[in-house]
Amino acid sequence: MDIAKNIESIKAEFTSDVTLVAVSKTKPIQDLMEAYEAGQRIFGENKIQEMTNKWEALPKDIEWHMVGHVQTNKVKYMAPYVKMIHAVHKMKLLKEINKQAKKENRVIDCLLQMKIAEEDSKYGMTKEEIIEFLADEQLKNYTNVKLRGLMGMATFTDDKEQIKREFTLLKNLYEQLKSSHNFDVLSMGMTGDYKIAIEQGSSMIRIGSKIFGARD
Ligand SMILES: *Cc1c(COP(=O)(O)O)cnc(C)c1O
């Protein structure tokens, strides 16, 4: 695996208005360091303990993104350093992120996760739930979180038309909400579907295996 080369070839496929999150879950520190030396500064993880260990070991100019499902009782462990939490799916979680960020005197960027996949296993809110969420009066009190946009995961399938349909749903809701909520991040696209995601207007892709190789 030539990590530097992988990053370079992925980046050559899109313009600089798309942000690359290198999803390094399960990979050892030395692999992340290779990506770092190739200029990568944004890393994504999906387990808090693992992310914290890596944050402690690696240079402090790295932005850490929590891309996976977050349990409310675990927020405190990443509040001191996490830059962005991609998968906020309920108000109780946002409230806790705000509370823990306040203790650290920080503002944590958050995305709302929309459920776009047809399969049942993925977390996330429906379009209606997201609209309701954003209309909630409580939000204005949460000054230590910044809602920057939406995130979604398409169905794991070879059916490109289905993936495209699912990303289009997310993109349409994003466009609808963007100006009234000052959104600037649309996080969609992984190794198997990032090209479709970029065509559908993604501004942030989360790539793991194509950079670091397959996970066990
Ligand atoms: C693991 C993961 C990724 C990266 O997956 P790849 O298919 O290896 O690129 C992206 N987003 C989330 C939420 C993940 O859990």
Side-chain angles (χ1 to χ4, degrees):
M1 261 301 133
D2 190 333
I3 291 169
K5 219 178 193 163
N6 294 344
I7 291 174
E8 192 187 336
S9 74
I10 293 167
K11 283 193 157 172
E13 296 178 56
F14 50 83
T15 52
S16 59
D17 53 344
V18 177
T19 301
L20 173 63
V21 178
V23 179
S24 48
K25 62 192 186 197
T26 79
K27 298 297 175 183
I29 296 285
Q30 74 205 58
D31 287 8
L32 281 76
M33 205 53 214
E34 257 182 78
Y36 181 88
E37 278 160 5
Q40 184 64 27
R41 291 295 180 273
I42 307 178
F43 291 85
E45 292 282 336
N46 70 343
K47 296 214 165 66
I48 293 185
Q49 185 62 57
E50 183 180 348
M51 182 167 75
T52 301
N53 292 343
K54 288 171 173 173
W55 165 66
E56 282 169 353
L58 284 158
K60 291 296 170 282
D61 60 343
I62 290 175
E63 265 188 24
W64 293 97
H65 287 213
M66 171 47 69
V67 298
H69 180 67
V70 178
Q71 288 172 279
T72 307
N73 62 352
K74 302 277 176 66
V75 171
K76 56 179 177 286
Y77 302 113
M78 61 181 167
Y81 67 89
V82 72
K83 166 73 179 163
M84 184 180 280
I85 297 176
H86 284 236
V88 175
H89 63 292
K90 56 182 181 187
M91 194 56 81
K92 188 175 158 229
L93 177 60
L94 192 73
K95 184 178 180 184
E96 177 66 11
I97 297 169
N98 183 68
K99 179 182 161 189
Q100 298 299 335
K102 197 177 206 118
K103 279 190 193 165
E104 302 292 337
N105 207 9
R106 299 185 65 231
V107 174
I108 296 176
D109 291 344
C110 293
L111 305 177
L112 298 181
Q113 182 176 17
M114 182 181 182
K115 185 185 179 327
I116 52 172
E118 281 163 19
E119 57 201 313
D120 248 7
S121 61
K122 306 230 157 82
Y123 290 96
M125 296 185 275
T126 62
K127 175 181 173 175
E128 290 71 29
E129 286 167 340
I130 288 176
I131 291 171
E132 200 178 314
F133 189 106
L134 290 168
D136 196 313
E137 283 291 310
Q138 293 180 68
L139 281 183
K140 64 177 188 315
N141 304 321
Y142 297 167
T143 50
N144 292 76
V145 290
K146 184 165 167 40
L147 282 177
R148 293 197 44 193
L150 304 179
M151 175 271 203
M153 286 167 87
T155 302
F156 191 70
T157 172
D158 290 333
D159 184 346
K160 290 195 164 56
E161 286 306 315
Q162 183 180 347
I163 295 170
K164 193 172 153 182
R165 275 199 307 278
E166 293 176 357
F167 283 152
T168 303
L169 283 177
L170 186 56
K171 163 71 174 177
N172 288 348
L173 183 60
Y174 177 75
E175 287 301 327
Q176 182 184 327
L177 300 169
K178 192 178 168 183
S179 56
S180 47
H181 296 280
N182 279 319
F183 283 171
D184 63 348
V185 178
L186 177 56
S187 166
M188 60 183 197
M190 311 174 24
T191 293
D193 57 21
Y194 73 93
K195 287 176 197 178
I196 306 172
I198 291 170
E199 280 165 17
Q200 299 313 307
S202 172
S203 75
M204 186 175 275
I205 54 174
R206 312 176 307 269
I207 309 285
S209 10
K210 189 155 178 162
I211 295 175
F212 298 105
R215 290 177 295 274
D216 297 331

